[in-house]
Amino acid sequence: MQKMTCVLATFFLLLVSLGIAMSQQNCTDGTQGCFVVKDYWPVKTCEQACEPEVCKRGWGAWVSQDVCCSPGVAFPEGCGKPLTTCWVVENYAVKTCKKDERRCLQGYGVWPSRDTCCYGAFKQNCTVLPEATTPCFVVDTYFPARLCTSSLTLCGPAAQQAGVQSWPSLEDCCSPGGAFQEGCSLPPPTPCWVVDSYDPIRSCRKETGVAACNRGWGVYASEDVCCSPNVAFPDGCSVTPNMTLPSTSATNSTASVNMTQATDSNVKSTQGP
Ligand SMILES: *[C@@H]1O[C@H](CO)[C@@H](O)[C@H](O)[C@H]1NC(C)=O
Ligand SMILES: *[C@@H]1O[C@H](CO)[C@@H](O)[C@H](O)[C@H]1NC(C)=O
Ligand SMILES: *[C@@H]1O[C@H](CO)[C@@H](O)[C@H](O)[C@H]1NC(C)=O
Ligand SMILES: *[C@@H]1O[C@H](CO)[C@@H](O)[C@H](O)[C@H]1NC(C)=O
Ligand SMILES: CC(=O)N[C@H]1CO[C@H](CO)[C@@H](O)[C@@H]1O
């Protein structure tokens, strides 16, 4: 019986480790490559690298994701996990917090629950304000976009006494000299485009995460913008957006891309937000 359990356990372990191995892409040379620091901020993460010059450089490269992410290896406290629910201060004057998943990657002033936000920011529970019947409009975010939002809790006399500024309409809140000197700005687009890889191919990919699109850096409104020279890369993407994976060259897995320069002169080079 014990032997049976042991065999089963071994089999299970094998399946699990196989599952873990399978979830990792092999490099083109068939190995797992190595694992290196991806991000220090706001969330500490590791990622796979395949380039021999990276894996053989003798520092900052580890054999597996688990090793790279262990406490004391790449980071003193190990890899971090991005928050999935995020609470931020709604208003400092009246001491309120609100849930806002756009801010999960902001990296500061973000808490995983209402209580941690209230006690973290104000050292006491948040104020509960009576709700108004008609909404007013208040500052939503300053960064990465200047936005107003409607509120039912920040309109009443208690909020006004605490110094909260509110406007009767979105237009009033957003017009220059309203909530912001320059007026509101456009919200970060979602989905957005971000750098997919730097090397060996410079490319951008679509990102649908609302938190990633609102992180305030390295986020572009379209693939054309992301791939234009001097936006994400000094020379632009290696492959022009419309010419990705022509079916004839897809048979070579080690695709050496023979379209090094995005030569479009009419690519819109409007800066991303
Ligand atoms: C990855 O490489 C390992 C050996 O290093 C091999 O056993 C496995 O089949 C490969 N996986 C894929 C998906 O190619
Ligand atoms: C803080 O206030 C909220 C709402 O009134 C309540 O649900 C929560 O339990 C309070 N937290 C603590 C730690 O008392
Ligand atoms: C090229 O891209 C534009 C917009 O990104 C798209 O409308 C068009 O259909 C694409 N053309 C081809 C041939 O894929
Ligand atoms: C790229 O394509 C051109 C012609 O289109 C060819 O002459 C050249 O040898 C190619 N370069 C590589 C590295 O395949
Ligand atoms: C660029 C490249 O790797 N070309 C290779 C594509 O695959 C054929 C055989 O399938 C090779 O002969 C080419 O050298």
Side-chain angles (χ1 to χ4, degrees):
M1 193 62 201
Q2 205 163 11
K3 197 175 169 192
M4 186 69 179
T5 317
C6 189
V7 169
L8 275 180
T10 311
F11 184 64
F12 181 70
L13 270 181
L14 201 76
L15 275 184
V16 168
S17 46
L18 206 66
I20 291 169
M22 295 280 284
S23 70
Q24 219 93 66
Q25 283 266 304
N26 282 352
C27 295
T28 49
D29 64 0
T31 71
Q32 294 277 301
C34 59
F35 291 79
V36 299
V37 167
K38 181 180 186 205
D39 280 321
Y40 285 93
W41 193 90
V43 182
K44 299 181 174 67
T45 51
C46 290
E47 68 177 349
Q48 187 178 39
C50 290
E51 300 78 18
E53 63 273 22
V54 171
C55 295
K56 298 223 161 76
R57 67 188 174 188
W59 54 271
W62 293 278
V63 294
S64 73
Q65 180 86 8
D66 284 352
V67 170
C68 186
C69 279
S70 298
V73 180
F75 314 103
E77 63 282 31
C79 288
K81 283 207 168 59
L83 295 177
T84 48
T85 56
C86 313
W87 290 73
V88 296
V89 169
E90 178 189 39
N91 190 278
Y92 282 98
V94 289
K95 299 188 169 61
T96 53
C97 285
K98 66 172 177 181
K99 200 172 175 180
D100 189 347
E101 64 176 12
R102 294 169 304 175
R103 315 271 281 272
C104 288
L105 293 176
Q106 182 174 279
Y108 59 92
V110 178
W111 285 273
S113 69
R114 184 181 189 277
D115 273 356
T116 52
C117 179
C118 298
Y119 286 89
F122 311 123
K123 315 289 176 231
Q124 65 184 68
N125 207 342
C126 287
T127 310
V128 178
L129 294 172
E131 288 199 355
T133 46
T134 51
C136 59
F137 293 81
V138 297
V139 168
D140 179 15
T141 56
Y142 290 92
F143 180 85
R146 300 182 304 275
L147 302 175
C148 289
T149 187
S150 69
S151 172
L152 289 173
T153 53
L154 295 175
C155 311
Q160 268 167 15
Q161 270 159 32
V164 178
Q165 278 195 289
S166 62
W167 287 262
S169 72
L170 187 61
E171 289 70 33
D172 290 332
C173 188
C174 275
S175 57
F180 312 98
Q181 204 74 58
E182 317 88 326
C184 289
S185 60
L186 291 175
T190 305
C192 56
W193 271 259
V194 300
V195 167
D196 186 31
S197 84
Y198 287 93
D199 191 43
I201 292 172
R202 300 182 304 278
S203 63
C204 293
R205 70 176 161 80
K206 192 178 186 176
E207 168 64 59
T208 53
V210 67
C213 292
N214 280 271
R215 68 187 174 187
W217 55 272
V219 166
Y220 308 98
S222 71
E223 189 170 22
D224 279 353
V225 171
C226 186
C227 280
S228 297
N230 295 316
V231 180
F233 314 97
D235 298 328
C237 291
S238 339
V239 185
T240 54
N242 257 349
M243 296 163 87
T244 39
L245 292 184
S247 53
T248 45
S249 76
T251 44
N252 277 2
S253 58
T254 53
S256 75
V257 178
N258 192 8
M259 290 177 265
T260 35
Q261 194 52 49
T263 46
D264 283 7
S265 54
N266 63 345
V267 185
K268 292 165 285 301
S269 63
T270 36
Q271 188 71 38

